Amino acid sequence: DIVAAFATAQGAESTTVKLLKNVTIHTNADGYSYGINLKSGNITLDLNGRTIQTTGRPSGFVPLNAVFYIGDGSSLTVQDSGTGGKIVQPNGGQAIGVSGGTLTVKSGIIEVTSDSADADSITTQNCAVFVRGSGVADIQGGTLIGNRGIYIGGKWGGGTLTVSGGTIHGKSSYALEVVGGSAALSGGTYTTD
């Protein structure tokens, strides 16, 4: 039970969650899959060559609609000790939302597969990583894919991004869009279709 595993992990000072098989986070009673909301803990996710995703269904952009939503007091480090490990968001929204905690990406693939038609609407950002508020993202490696690869700020403001490596790809819009907050880029590859 991946939700229970992360609930336990948030109670520890520092821990690693390693995927042993592909995991789909199921929908709630209303039919939505909001993923895992991190509120505490210093957690490393080892994808181990596996995939974690939410349940696929058409949906609009909702700040909490992410495979992982990182809030104040929490930290998530993503890495892949195997090959081809992925965090996949098949819905409209983001794969990882960072609003108050810290995200570090060392390796692995983070992808939004939704192809909502209006790529420039705030309701369909479909970005691999969305940083806002007091959220901090440090991209050291890996591959980030979405209509936008990374989106910072927007009407929610704030967000701090550092990119020193990795590949950021925007399928139908920007690889990186900074609408608020700040970005420091010293590496990485930025591509679009």
Side-chain angles (χ1 to χ4, degrees), residues 90 110 147:
I110 302 170
N147 280 358

Side-chain angles (χ1 to χ4, degrees), residues 49-191:
R50 307 299 199 275
T51 298
I52 181 170
Q53 70 174 59
T54 56
T55 306
R57 66 167 284 176
S59 65
F61 176 88
V62 178
L64 281 175
N65 185 12
V67 182
F68 291 99
Y69 179 77
I70 304 169
D72 286 332
S74 64
S75 169
L76 179 67
T77 298
V78 177
Q79 62 188 37
D80 185 14
S81 64
T83 302
K86 292 183 179 184
I87 296 172
V88 176
Q89 170 63 285
N91 304 309
Q94 68 259 243
I96 300 179
V98 188
S99 70
T102 301
L103 169 69
T104 302
V105 179
K106 294 184 176 181
S107 57
I109 300 165
I110 302 170
E111 181 175 11
V112 174
T113 57
S114 174
D115 60 354
S116 293
D118 187 1
D120 290 322
S121 168
I122 194 66
T123 62
T124 54
Q125 288 302 335
N126 296 347
C127 50
V129 173
F130 175 34
V131 188
R132 65 186 179 102
S134 60
V136 175
D138 180 10
I139 311 303
Q140 301 172 6
T143 302
L144 283 62
I145 304 167
N147 280 358
R148 286 168 171 79
I150 302 173
Y151 183 85
I152 307 170
K155 68 179 183 179
W156 298 276
T160 302
L161 172 71
T162 302
V163 180
S164 58
T167 299
I168 296 96
H169 182 74
K171 293 188 290 187
S172 59
S173 187
Y174 305 102
L176 168 63
E177 184 171 4
V178 181
V179 180
S182 64
L185 313 177
S186 62
T189 302
Y190 307 85
T191 63

Side-chain angles (χ1 to χ4, degrees), residues 1-7 9-10 17 19 23-26 33-39 43 45 52-54 64-71 74 76 95-97:
D1 184 335
I2 195 68
V3 174
F6 272 94
Q10 290 184 72
V17 175
L19 296 183
V23 177
T24 298
I25 302 167
H26 297 287
S33 184
Y34 288 112
I36 296 171
N37 188 2
L38 300 178
K39 299 177 182 178
I43 302 168
L45 170 62
I52 181 170
Q53 70 174 59
T54 56
L64 281 175
N65 185 12
V67 182
F68 291 99
Y69 179 77
I70 304 169
S74 64
L76 179 67
I96 300 179

